[in-house]
């Protein structure tokens, strides 16, 4: 395994951590919205359906 492959693996791992943190931050924000607004945008029903498909 050369240095480039290791660097690429680390970059992928760091990128995934960044994505997960952004998703958590978004979920927290959406959960703070009033219930009627969450219902209008389909939160969390549309989200859970999307996550199950992946």
């Amino acid at each position: 395994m050369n240095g480039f492959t290791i660097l690429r693996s680390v970059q992928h791992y760091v990128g995934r951590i960044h994505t997960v943190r952004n998703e958590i931050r978004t979920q927290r924000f959406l959960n703070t919205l009033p219930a009627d607004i969450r219902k209008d945008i389909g939160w969390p029903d549309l989200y859970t359906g999307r996550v199950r498909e992946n």
Side-chain angles (χ1 to χ4, degrees):
M1 204 180 237
N2 62 20
F4 181 72
T5 306
I6 295 171
L7 178 62
R8 193 178 201 182
S9 297
V10 171
Q11 286 175 334
H12 176 74
Y13 179 72
V14 170
R16 181 66 183 138
I17 290 173
H18 184 69
T19 300
V20 169
R21 290 184 67 176
N22 284 340
E23 288 178 358
I24 291 169
R25 188 177 302 129
T26 301
Q27 289 175 13
R28 286 181 184 161
F29 171 74
L30 290 172
N31 286 333
T32 63
L33 294 173
D36 57 335
I37 293 176
R38 286 185 304 210
K39 184 178 177 185
D40 288 344
I41 63 174
W43 178 257
D45 299 330
L46 292 176
Y47 176 75
T48 54
R50 191 190 100 205
V51 170
R52 288 184 191 144
E53 292 173 5
N54 293 335

